[in-house]
Amino acid sequence: MRIAGFVIGALGGLLLAGFAHAEALRIGVAAPLSGPSSVLGVQIRDGAEEAAADRGTVKLHIADDGCTAEGGAKAAKQFSEAKVQAVVGFLCGEAIEAALPILKEANIPVITVGVRTDSLTDRRDKSGWPVFRLAPRADGEREAAGRLLTKLWRNELFAVIDDGTIYGRELAESFRAAAEREGLKPVFIDTFRQQLDNQIGLVGRLRKAEASRVFAGGDREDIAIMARDAQKIGAEIVFAGGETLRAAAGPVPLAPGTLMIGLPEWQEVADKAVVAKFTDRGVVPEGYVLPAYSAVQVALAALEEAGSNGDLMKALTEHDFRTSIGPIRFDSKGDLSQNPYRVFRYDGKRFVQVEMQ
């Protein structure tokens, strides 16, 4: 992290106190507080409210975007009328895409905690939308799989398989292409049938190909069955997959040693003092609670850096920010400068991050 990031994080309270003395800071919070996504919206609200309470001189304007285009546009108009200086939140593409033209006109930047659609930031040069993304990009999982697993498996015989779905096929093909760019070639490539009671035939072919590592574009249940059946026939194979491995456990337990490309559980890696604050309030710091808390931290730090007449967009782009979930920096498009996906190994109870060399 650059020194600027430490300065913003360490002196934030003092700088903000001086700036806020002249004018209360106004932050908009967009969250689906009604409809099927309301549980997630409450997480955003809880995280933002705690971050604002920590500063004490921040006024939040909370709007229900309903995860709809109509709700997003309505929320944006409310923020514009309230003259907020920045907006955090938004989980759904429909809501944020309807809101951004209005917020652009009002010169209000947005930090989304949940929208992953690549085009949101890829077209920023053309759209001019003032958007920054605390969530990963949609292609972040694929990029991390190719970059991280090729390092781990450089000296292993590996196979690449997928379940034929768009998600599974794209994930597997992206990994295969990344491996081949590194001069690595799989010993076996195949598409398997989903939701079979057993995968003995498949693991038999994997063993015949002498694959000791298998990257599978598929869901948790299918990968668990493959690992179980590999053990049955005495094939020592380590399976790896994407973040679908964090799905609820099915009737077949996931094999210890299974690798996952996924995001950290934020409450496990976040600032312990911040986690304790939520716990003391009876709020479970799961889902979007800590990302929303951190998004408000970033917005406030950028506001204090920009000052009363400064360029907030420039401040958001040119600085590192110290947050409860770690250092944050945005690139020129508004995406995270570092891919947050990591490699995790299942220990029989939970996924533990693998330290990369």
Side-chain angles (χ1 to χ4, degrees):
M1 182 190 300
R2 299 183 183 182
I3 293 175
F6 287 107
V7 171
I8 288 176
L11 302 183
L14 295 175
L15 292 171
L16 181 60
F19 182 54
H21 182 71
E23 181 182 5
L25 299 177
R26 301 176 303 280
I27 303 293
V29 180
L33 298 174
S34 61
S37 299
S38 60
V39 171
L40 303 180
V42 169
Q43 292 174 353
I44 292 176
R45 184 192 65 194
D46 287 347
E49 286 181 339
E50 186 64 31
D54 283 351
R55 295 302 182 112
T57 53
V58 181
K59 181 173 178 57
L60 294 184
H61 294 267
I62 300 174
D64 178 10
D65 66 30
C67 260
T68 65
E70 180 182 2
K74 183 179 179 180
K77 291 175 184 176
Q78 291 174 7
F79 296 144
S80 179
E81 292 170 358
K83 298 186 185 305
V84 303
Q85 294 151 296
V87 172
V88 303
F90 285 114
L91 292 183
C92 302
E94 297 90 337
I96 197 170
E97 291 198 12
L100 280 169
I102 299 168
L103 296 174
K104 174 188 175 183
E105 183 69 22
N107 197 30
I108 301 172
V110 180
I111 303 174
T112 174
V113 298
V115 181
R116 299 188 181 190
T117 311
D118 294 337
S119 61
L120 184 70
T121 49
D122 285 347
R123 64 189 182 198
R124 194 166 97 166
D125 284 345
K126 292 183 178 180
S127 68
W129 287 349
V131 61
F132 297 83
R133 195 201 315 260
L134 204 62
R137 291 171 55 89
D139 60 9
E141 181 184 22
R142 299 193 295 272
E143 188 278 334
R147 174 170 47 85
L148 299 174
L149 288 180
T150 52
K151 290 182 180 179
L152 282 180
W153 293 356
R154 180 161 295 279
N155 299 314
E156 306 289 349
L157 297 177
F158 65 91
V160 182
I161 59 177
D162 71 82
D163 62 6
T165 63
I166 294 175
Y167 167 78
R169 185 169 61 250
E170 288 184 347
L171 186 60
E173 175 57 23
S174 179
F175 170 71
R176 184 200 62 76
E180 293 194 354
R181 285 194 297 271
E182 294 294 320
L184 307 176
K185 188 174 182 179
V187 296
F188 181 86
I189 299 173
D190 200 4
T191 297
F192 63 88
R193 289 182 59 191
Q194 298 174 272
Q195 301 178 345
L196 295 180
D197 292 335
N198 74 77
Q199 292 284 0
I200 291 290
L202 173 64
V203 296
R205 295 193 296 276
L206 289 168
R207 182 174 65 174
K208 184 176 181 180
E210 300 183 348
S212 64
R213 303 290 186 272
V214 176
F215 184 75
D219 63 24
R220 176 178 175 130
E221 185 174 356
D222 286 328
I223 293 173
I225 289 172
M226 292 174 200
R228 179 203 64 188
D229 292 349
Q231 292 174 355
K232 281 183 180 180
I233 66 172
E236 295 184 2
I237 299 174
V238 173
F239 288 86
E243 59 186 332
T244 56
L245 287 171
R246 267 220 178 94
V252 179
L254 199 61
T258 300
L259 298 177
M260 175 187 71
I261 300 296
L263 297 172
E265 293 280 10
W266 296 122
Q267 64 267 36
E268 295 181 3
V269 300
D271 185 316
K272 289 181 172 53
V274 174
V275 172
K277 287 179 184 179
F278 285 108
T279 303
D280 291 344
R281 283 182 49 200
V283 174
V284 179
E286 62 185 359
Y288 293 100
V289 172
L290 288 163
Y293 182 99
S294 298
V296 172
Q297 286 183 304
V298 170
L300 295 177
L303 281 167
E304 64 197 35
E305 174 65 22
S308 59
N309 298 310
D311 186 338
L312 184 53
M313 288 288 290
K314 183 177 180 181
L316 283 165
T317 303
E318 295 185 353
H319 294 282
D320 301 283
F321 300 96
R322 190 174 179 179
T323 77
S324 65
I325 59 175
I328 296 294
R329 186 179 181 90
F330 300 110
D331 64 19
S332 60
K333 293 196 298 185
D335 289 318
L336 291 172
S337 62
Q338 293 187 344
N339 191 333
Y341 280 94
R342 303 287 183 265
V343 182
F344 296 85
R345 180 177 286 109
Y346 190 64
D347 68 2
K349 295 182 179 179
R350 55 191 288 268
F351 285 100
V352 178
Q353 185 170 328
V354 176
E355 296 300 326
M356 301 292 294
Q357 298 296 325

